[in-house]
């Protein structure tokens, strides 16, 4: 299966700390995307990193991609209570769809 | 707000009834994708449509599920004779990729 797998499944940190989530996948990809989902809400696209990129930043988000290890990480710096959500990685292999992992549930404690 | 609009937000159906889920893509987007999210799981692709065409339905269950995206109006995901296992959140997204899909807020289907 090409499905991404996030690690850890759940993460609980104090406000102000950094949160790191990892994603592994199994086949070659064109790009990898990270999404956030607040409880009971739809997905919000956070960041896309292409297969020829190694690192990308967006505000407090930092994403890395290691195609040799077929893995990606999402780092949220200086976390806030509002960052509490589920985070999904999704891989795009050029087919007509994305393959999503099961997500990491992040809880930021005020 | 020109985002992806899905309705209804919540839908309750008795076993055996039909469920119709609607999705209006972002203005100017002609590609629609449907995903299903079972409780505690990630999203799973169901079907990809362009106007009046089904491009990829490899994720659709073989029976009871159908999707359309007519020339005029929203995309419709139809589930006939619903069963409890159909209870899930159904998300619609519109593209173009690869800049990232724009997702709707989803329809939460509960089969009782």
């Amino acid at each position: 299966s090409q499905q991404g797998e996030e690690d850890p499944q759940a993460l609980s940190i104090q406000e102000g700390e950094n949160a790191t989530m990892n994603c592994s996948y199994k086949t070659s990809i064109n790009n990898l995307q990270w999404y956030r989902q607040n409880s009971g809400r739809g997905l919000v696209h956070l960041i896309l990193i292409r297969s020829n990129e190694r690192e990308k930043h967006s505000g407090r988000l930092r994403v890395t991609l290691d195609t040799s290890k077929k893995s990606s990480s999402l780092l949220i710096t200086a976390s806030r209570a509002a960052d509490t959500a589920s985070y999904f990685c999704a891989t795009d292999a050029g087919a007509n769809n994305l393959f999503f992992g099961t997500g990491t549930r992040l809880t930021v404690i005020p | 707000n020109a985002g992806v609009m899905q309705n209804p937000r919540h839908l309750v159906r008795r076993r055996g009834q039909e469920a119709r889920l609607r999705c209006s893509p972002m203005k100017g987007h002609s590609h629609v994708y449907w995903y299903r999210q079972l409780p505690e799981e990630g999203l799973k692709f169901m079907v990809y449509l362009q106007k009046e065409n089904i491009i990829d339905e490899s994720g659709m269950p073989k029976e009871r599920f159908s999707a359309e995206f007519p020339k005029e109006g929203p995309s419709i995901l139809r589930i006939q004779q619903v069963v409890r296992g159909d209870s899930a959140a159904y998300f619609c997204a519109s593209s173009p990729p690869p800049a990232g899909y724009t997702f709707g807020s989803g329809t939460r289907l509960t089969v009782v």
Side-chain angles (χ1 to χ4, degrees):
Chain A
S1 165
Q2 186 182 338
Q3 188 170 16
E5 296 181 2
E6 286 92 340
D7 168 57
Q9 286 191 330
L11 179 62
S12 185
I13 60 174
Q14 294 290 137
E15 199 166 31
E17 293 181 338
N18 296 342
T20 300
M21 288 159 270
N22 303 298
C23 169
S24 61
Y25 57 93
K26 295 182 180 177
T27 65
S28 297
I29 59 172
N30 287 352
N31 65 70
L32 185 145
Q33 305 174 29
W34 284 90
Y35 289 81
R36 183 179 76 190
Q37 184 182 33
N38 289 76
S39 179
R41 306 290 294 273
L43 290 171
V44 174
H45 178 252
L46 294 177
I47 198 166
L48 179 152
I49 185 165
R50 300 180 196 281
S51 60
N52 61 353
E53 297 176 310
R54 292 297 167 258
E55 187 171 312
K56 204 162 183 180
H57 297 256
S58 177
R60 295 184 295 112
L61 304 181
R62 172 176 169 256
V63 169
T64 63
L65 179 64
D66 187 336
T67 53
S68 67
K69 295 181 180 178
K70 291 186 169 57
S71 67
S72 173
S73 67
L74 171 66
L75 168 68
I76 303 174
T77 60
S79 64
R80 305 167 181 168
D83 295 329
T84 294
S86 290
Y87 292 82
F88 294 87
C89 71
T91 53
D92 182 348
N96 295 317
N97 58 80
L98 297 177
F99 288 91
F100 284 83
T102 53
T104 292
R105 287 157 188 75
L106 173 66
T107 303
V108 180
I109 303 167
Chain B
N1 186 338
V4 178
M5 304 301 294
Q6 288 188 249
N7 67 82
R9 290 292 301 274
H10 300 274
L11 181 62
V12 179
R13 283 287 177 266
R14 296 189 182 279
R15 280 180 294 174
Q17 291 184 322
E18 179 179 283
R20 291 168 67 94
L21 289 63
R22 295 175 183 76
C23 169
S24 296
M26 285 188 69
K27 188 175 182 180
H29 286 187
S30 60
H31 300 217
V32 165
Y33 305 75
W34 285 93
Y35 290 82
R36 178 166 65 176
Q37 185 181 31
L38 296 170
E40 305 300 316
E41 294 188 13
L43 293 180
K44 287 190 168 51
F45 169 75
M46 297 183 74
V47 63
Y48 162 42
L49 309 106
Q50 294 180 13
K51 288 279 187 181
E52 298 184 282
N53 279 308
I54 297 174
I55 306 303
D56 182 352
E57 55 181 350
S58 59
M60 287 278 273
K62 293 289 186 284
E63 298 177 348
R64 301 188 297 108
F65 285 72
S66 62
E68 62 177 4
F69 189 15
K71 187 176 180 181
E72 302 290 338
S75 174
I76 305 289
L77 179 67
R78 181 184 295 117
I79 310 172
Q80 296 177 305
Q81 299 175 334
V82 295
V83 301
R84 287 231 171 102
D86 297 332
S87 294
Y90 292 83
F91 288 93
C92 167
S94 71
S95 76
Y101 298 81
T102 302
F103 279 88
S105 297
T107 293
R108 280 150 188 82
L109 172 65
T110 301
V111 179
V112 297

